């Protein structure tokens, strides 16, 4: 018997992963979607509380499915421009006809895209309504961005659709997540069922308008693919020095600490070491990703710095070894046991999702890694130095097909850290010309710490009371959400 409706605290909840699984079963049950979504698509869900204190869930998919943006049970598009007799489709057909006739279409295409962004009007966190174009251009101006117009598809991803709908219906946003369904795109690394943060280029510029700042920060911090940054927390030094002479110094960099100053954070290994040693000149001659630990080398003079930079750029008389602990990989696929070989997969920046990199066989830069497998551990010897090279070469199906354990960008298995460690670097000394080898002991994985009472795993949300009745929320179109009513 239904007795009352109750507003549940977020600390007493179901896990978001359970709601994602439930939503994936709904996707599985739609045969008309199968061919399209099995090739890969982003879906999202939002947990809300209405003005009467009842909680519920909204669902969304990015873009369209089978040419439709109005499937029952999912929030509609912010602006449906796909009507056959609408301006967009008619103008699009005219542009296609001009193209086939060999006529220039660039300016007309850009004008149509601009028109679309003026027609796509978002409802903000405080009920104000503004076009995607206005929101994006304001963000670009305040952030001094060179990208002054929105990329194609801005406003059509899951997060903006869900937030716009919630704001339009005066629903308080409690939690939001997006997850990948289906196969990974050829050039990217996405894992079926894995939760991801909103994209950088299309979503992040408009999310501050759609969410209150505090809620946005909470949401981003909650993602399981967000690594813990020691740069933000202030690493409790001192840094461990592995090698030092009058010209060079090497440290054992901990995972989570930036190597050099970032755009928004100057607290890093280089800054710490300068303070620790009092050296008048100190520059990192190479870099490790924030999430990577191990040997990091610095020059003490400008001349040595320039020579080491040259040697590292040309991979001349420089040998590096990394060791990584691998996760199982999607559905148990990927290289197993012992083995050795060379991976050659060209890489390029993913401009829509920085700092991610992507596989690009047409325009990417050469990236080559030698590897030696020992069960779930792999020793990696990079022969080139591309950004995220080792991480992608492990995770991508054309490489090992097994992500590094705890990789926050390309992985499928969360851990207390990313288990990639720079265990050795060997080089010809730029002054003495002797061979120098510096080593760092490899950290061992350990089980996740037990959760305290009432805690949820990182990136997870609970909703109290699994015994609940499900019905469309008040004021919502049938099937576009659900309320959780205590029984």
């Amino acid at each position: 018997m239904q007795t009352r409706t109750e507003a549940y605290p977020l600390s007493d909840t179901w896990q978001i992963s359970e709601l994602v699984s439930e939503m994936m079963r709904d996707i599985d049950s739609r045969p008309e979607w199968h061919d399209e979504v099995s090739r890969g698509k982003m879906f999202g869900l939002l947990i809300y509380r209405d003005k009467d204190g009842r909680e519920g869930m909204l669902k969304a998919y990015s873009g369209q499915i089978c040419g439709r943006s109005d499937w029952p049970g999912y929030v509609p598009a912010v602006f449906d421009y796909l009507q056959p007799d609408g301006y967009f489709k008619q103008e699009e057909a005219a542009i296609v006809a001009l193209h086939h006739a060999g006529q220039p279409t660039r300016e007309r295409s850009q004008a149509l895209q601009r028109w679309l962004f003026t027609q796509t009007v978002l409802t903000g966190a405080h009920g104000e309504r503004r076009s995607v174009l206005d929101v994006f251009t304001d963000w670009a101006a305040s952030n001094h961005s060179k990208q002054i117009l929105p990329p194609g598809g801005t406003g059509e991803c899951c997060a903006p659709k869900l937030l716009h709908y919630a704001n339009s219906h005066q629903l308080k946003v409690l939690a939001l997540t997006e997850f990948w369904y289906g196969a990974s795109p050829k050039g990217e690394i996405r894992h079926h069922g894995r939760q991801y943060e909103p994209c950088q280029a299309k979503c992040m510029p408009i999310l501050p308008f759609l969410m209150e700042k505090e809620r946005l920060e909470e949401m981003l911090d909650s993602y399981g693919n967000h690594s813990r940054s020691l740069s933000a927390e202030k690493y409790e030094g001192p840094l461990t020095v592995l090698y030092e002479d009058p010209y060079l110094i090497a440290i054992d960099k901990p995972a989570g600490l930036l190597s050099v100053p970032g755009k928004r954070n100057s607290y890093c290994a280089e800054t710490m070491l300068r303070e620790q040693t009092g050296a008048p000149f100190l520059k990192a001659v190479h870099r490790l990703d924030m999430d990577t630990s191990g040997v990091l080398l610095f020059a003490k003079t400008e001349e040595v710095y320039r020579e080491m930079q040259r040697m590292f750029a040309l991979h001349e008389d420089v040998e590096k070894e990394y060791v990584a602990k691998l996760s199982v990989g999607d559905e148990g696929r990927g290289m197993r046991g012992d083995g050795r070989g060379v991976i050659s997969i060209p890489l390029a920046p993913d401009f829509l999702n920085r700092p991610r990199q992507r596989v690009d066989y047409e325009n990417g830069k050469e990236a080559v890694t030698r590897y030696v497998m020992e069960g779930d551990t792999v020793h990696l010897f990079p022969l080139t130095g591309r950004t995220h090279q080792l991480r992608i070469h492990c995770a991508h199906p054309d490489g090992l097909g097994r992500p590094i354990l705890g990789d926050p960008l390309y992985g499928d298995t969360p851990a207390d850290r990313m288990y990639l460690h720079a265990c050795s670097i060997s080089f010809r000394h730029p002054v003495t010309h002797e061979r120098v080898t510096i080593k760092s002991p490899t950290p061992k994985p350990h089980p996740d710490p037990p959760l305290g009472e009432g805690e949820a795993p990182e990136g997870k949300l609970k909703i109290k009371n699994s015994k609940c009745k499900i019905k469309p929320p008040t004021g919502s179109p049938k099937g576009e959400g659900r309320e959780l009513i205590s029984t």
Side-chain angles (χ1 to χ4, degrees):
M1 181 180 68
Q2 181 173 322
T3 56
R4 61 196 175 109
T5 301
E6 185 177 358
Y8 303 126
L10 293 184
S11 57
D12 286 323
T13 57
W14 281 353
Q15 294 182 2
I16 274 257
S17 59
E18 294 178 2
L19 298 177
V20 168
S21 297
E22 178 186 313
M23 191 168 164
M24 291 176 71
R25 288 192 291 271
D26 175 67
I27 299 167
D28 291 340
S29 70
R30 297 174 181 257
E32 66 273 33
W33 288 9
H34 178 75
D35 288 346
E36 180 174 336
V37 301
S38 63
R39 295 194 293 269
K41 198 166 193 66
M42 197 71 79
F43 287 81
L45 63 87
L46 180 149
I47 309 298
Y48 68 83
R49 182 181 295 131
D50 68 15
K51 61 183 180 181
D52 296 321
R54 293 175 294 189
E55 294 182 352
M57 183 175 84
L58 301 174
K59 301 181 292 184
Y61 48 82
S62 62
Q64 299 87 34
I65 296 179
C66 301
R68 287 181 55 180
S69 56
D70 60 350
W71 286 96
Y74 289 75
V75 299
V78 177
F79 173 62
D80 188 358
Y81 57 89
L82 296 177
Q83 301 305 317
D85 56 348
Y87 174 77
F88 183 89
K89 297 301 290 183
Q90 292 183 1
E91 181 67 4
E92 183 182 53
I95 292 172
V96 170
L98 287 173
H99 176 73
H100 288 160
Q103 299 295 315
T105 60
R106 182 177 178 180
E107 289 186 5
R108 195 161 174 176
S109 295
Q110 290 178 339
L112 180 60
Q113 189 80 331
R114 193 178 185 91
W115 173 87
L116 178 60
F117 290 138
T118 61
Q119 299 299 307
T120 305
V121 179
L122 300 167
T123 302
H126 302 287
E128 65 276 43
R129 289 176 57 79
R130 300 188 67 197
S131 72
V132 163
L133 183 63
D134 288 343
V135 172
F136 192 96
T137 52
D138 282 357
W139 171 87
S142 62
N143 287 273
H144 309 289
S145 173
K146 296 179 181 178
Q147 177 82 35
I148 59 175
L149 292 177
T154 300
E156 298 184 55
C157 297
C158 298
K161 290 167 70 172
L162 289 164
L163 291 166
H164 164 76
Y165 187 92
N167 294 339
S168 298
H169 292 78
Q170 294 83 50
L171 303 174
K172 180 179 177 60
V173 177
L174 303 181
L176 171 67
T177 194
E178 295 182 75
F179 64 91
W180 186 258
Y181 182 98
S184 178
K186 181 65 176 176
E188 301 177 46
I189 297 173
R190 293 282 189 267
H191 301 284
H192 182 66
R194 180 83 158 94
Q195 296 175 46
Y196 292 92
E197 66 181 28
C199 62
Q200 293 291 325
K202 294 188 287 188
C203 293
M204 288 304 184
I206 62 177
L207 287 185
F209 172 74
L210 292 164
M211 292 188 79
E212 295 180 355
K213 181 180 179 181
E214 183 177 339
R215 299 299 294 166
L216 177 59
E217 291 175 350
E218 288 176 0
M219 180 193 74
L220 295 178
D221 286 343
S222 74
Y223 276 89
N225 63 337
H226 256 253
S227 59
R228 185 172 61 94
S229 170
L230 292 177
S231 300
E233 295 182 2
K234 293 285 185 182
Y235 173 68
E236 296 293 335
L239 295 167
T240 300
V241 175
L242 300 172
Y243 172 89
E244 185 173 13
D245 66 26
Y247 311 100
L248 296 165
I249 182 170
I251 65 164
D252 197 359
K253 188 187 85 68
L257 182 67
L258 289 170
S259 295
V260 297
K263 290 182 179 180
R264 297 179 178 84
N265 198 329
S266 61
Y267 191 78
C268 62
E270 187 175 277
T271 302
M272 286 186 63
L273 190 60
R274 187 177 293 116
E275 295 174 353
Q276 183 174 318
T277 62
F281 181 96
L282 200 69
K283 275 190 178 181
V285 300
H286 66 118
R287 299 183 185 185
L288 298 177
D289 291 343
M290 182 181 76
D291 299 300
T292 303
S293 60
V295 182
L296 183 61
L297 187 62
F298 297 83
K300 291 183 175 182
T301 71
E302 181 68 41
E303 294 78 11
V304 169
Y305 171 74
R306 286 200 300 266
E307 175 60 13
M308 292 299 293
Q309 284 269 289
R310 186 192 68 80
M311 290 167 57
F312 271 74
L314 297 176
H315 286 265
E316 180 181 288
D317 290 326
V318 176
E319 296 176 0
K320 292 183 282 186
E321 179 184 354
Y322 293 73
V323 63
K325 181 75 173 178
L326 303 180
S327 65
V328 172
D330 288 343
E331 300 177 8
R333 295 192 298 270
M335 186 166 291
R336 291 277 174 298
D338 298 335
R340 62 183 62 225
V342 176
I343 301 167
S344 181
I345 302 175
L347 304 177
D350 186 344
F351 293 110
L352 294 180
N353 289 289
R354 291 183 182 275
R356 287 176 172 270
Q357 306 293 299
R358 65 191 314 276
V359 173
D360 187 343
Y361 282 103
E362 293 184 4
N363 303 306
K365 293 184 178 180
E366 181 184 39
V368 183
T369 304
R370 184 166 63 88
Y371 69 89
V372 177
M373 291 282 295
E374 296 178 355
D376 292 332
T377 298
V378 62
H379 296 264
L380 300 160
F381 306 87
L383 306 182
T384 54
R386 309 300 175 204
T387 302
H388 298 173
Q389 173 178 318
L390 302 181
R391 298 162 69 173
I392 294 179
H393 281 185
C394 287
H396 198 271
D398 293 347
L400 298 181
R402 296 182 63 185
I404 295 171
L405 180 66
D407 189 332
L409 291 179
Y410 310 106
D412 60 355
T413 307
D416 60 297
R417 56 156 292 180
M418 181 174 75
Y419 281 90
L420 177 62
H421 182 73
C423 60
S424 175
I425 185 169
S426 180
F427 58 93
R428 176 184 55 81
H429 197 286
V431 178
T432 67
H433 305 295
E434 296 177 350
R435 196 74 190 171
V436 177
T437 299
I438 306 169
K439 294 187 176 183
S440 166
T442 302
K444 297 185 181 299
H446 58 78
D448 291 335
L451 297 172
E453 185 177 354
E455 290 185 33
E458 186 179 11
K460 310 280 176 82
L461 174 89
K462 298 177 181 176
I463 298 178
K464 185 179 179 180
N465 198 335
S466 61
K467 295 181 179 180
C468 53
K469 293 185 177 180
I470 311 232
K471 67 177 183 178
T474 306
S476 300
K478 184 177 180 181
E480 287 187 351
R482 70 179 199 176
E483 288 184 341
L484 307 183
I485 309 295
S486 63
T487 56

